[in-house]
Amino acid sequence: MGLKDSTTEEKILEAAKNVFMKYGLYGARMQDIANIAGINKALLHYYFRSKEKLFDSVFEKALEKYFDQMTVIGDKSLPIKDRLNVYVDNLFDFFREYPQMSMFIIKEISINPQMFHEKVAKLKYQKSMLIPTLQEAMEKGEIHSFDPEIFMINLHSLCAYPFLASPLYKAILQKNGYNWDEDAQNRIKESVKEFISFKFQ
C-alpha cells in the first residue's frame, strides 16, 4: 500500500476516540471506526493491525493529555489559588474534547484495572501533584487546613460531571435560555472557581 498518510491516521484516531469513549475497548467495533473515518476496514487494519493497538494509541494519548493539565499545579511562580484556577480552565478545555473521559476511565478500570495502571505507569506524571502541593501550602501557612483528598474529589467532580451529564443539562438549560456550548459551560466553570475562592477564604 505504500507509505502511511498522516491525515488518514489522524482521521482514524479521531474516529477511534469517539467510538472507544462511547463503547470502551470491548464494545467497540473496528467496522464502526472505519465507517466514521470514511475508509474501508482493510485500510484501517493496514494502519492499526488490531483493535488493541488502536485502543493503546487512543487511550495513551488521552491519558497523557489529561495529565498534562496538571503541570500548572507545579508552577511555583503563581500563588496556589491562581494555579488552581488555571487548572480548572485546562480541565474544562480537556473535557470539551473528551466529555466522557471520566466515565471511560471508570469503565476500563472496572474491566481491566491492571491495564489502566500499566498505561499510567508509562507516563511521566504518575501521581497527581495536586494533593502534595496543597499539603505544602498548608504547612507553609499559605492556606488554611482542610482535607486535600476530599478537595480533589470535589474539584474533579465539579469539572467532570456537567460534561458526563451534558445530554440532560443541555435539555434543561436550553429551556431556560442558556446555550450549552458557550454560556452554560462558562458559567459552570466560574462557579467552580467560586468554590475554590470559598475554600481559600
Side-chain angles (χ1 to χ4, degrees), residues 156-171:
H156 285 168
S157 299
L158 288 168
C159 292
Y161 185 73
F163 290 93
L164 288 173
S166 62
L168 169 65
Y169 289 143
K170 278 182 183 180

Side-chain angles (χ1 to χ4, degrees), residues 116 121 133 169:
F116 173 77
T133 299
Y169 289 143

Side-chain angles (χ1 to χ4, degrees), residues 23-160:
Y23 298 107
L25 169 59
Y26 299 102
R29 296 171 61 246
M30 290 291 269
Q31 186 62 61
D32 291 337
I33 295 169
N35 291 344
I36 294 172
I39 61 174
N40 60 50
K41 198 172 176 181
L43 185 58
L44 175 58
H45 280 286
Y46 171 68
Y47 278 82
F48 295 93
R49 293 184 180 275
S50 69
K51 183 170 70 169
E52 287 72 22
K53 288 187 181 297
L54 181 52
F55 178 83
D56 283 346
S57 296
V58 171
F59 196 33
E60 287 176 12
K61 183 179 178 182
L63 275 180
E64 185 165 9
K65 202 163 188 178
Y66 177 74
F67 283 111
D68 278 345
Q69 316 312 313
M70 297 181 181
T71 55
V72 68
I73 298 296
D75 183 2
K76 294 187 177 181
S77 68
L78 295 172
I80 181 63
K81 183 180 173 182
D82 291 347
R83 283 182 258 170
L84 286 170
N85 282 330
V86 175
Y87 180 47
V88 168
D89 288 334
N90 292 347
L91 280 178
F92 267 71
D93 288 342
F94 175 80
F95 285 126
R96 284 187 181 107
E97 183 176 357
Y98 297 90
Q100 299 298 315
M101 183 63 177
S102 298
M103 187 60 69
F104 173 66
I105 291 176
I106 291 168
K107 185 189 297 181
E108 295 308 319
I109 289 176
S110 66
I111 295 170
N112 191 344
Q114 184 60 33
M115 177 272 295
F116 173 77
H117 292 304
E118 286 172 359
K119 297 207 178 306
V120 171
K122 289 181 182 179
L123 300 174
K124 53 188 174 182
Y125 311 117
Q126 294 187 26
K127 294 181 179 178
S128 168
M129 292 181 285
L130 181 55
I131 292 173
T133 299
L134 290 171
Q135 289 172 331
E136 181 182 356
M138 289 177 204
E139 289 167 4
K140 290 181 177 178
E142 296 172 357
I143 57 176
H144 67 81
S145 254
F146 55 80
D147 188 325
E149 285 86 359
I150 299 301
F151 176 84
M152 180 187 71
I153 291 169
N154 286 334
L155 183 64
H156 285 168
S157 299
L158 288 168
C159 292

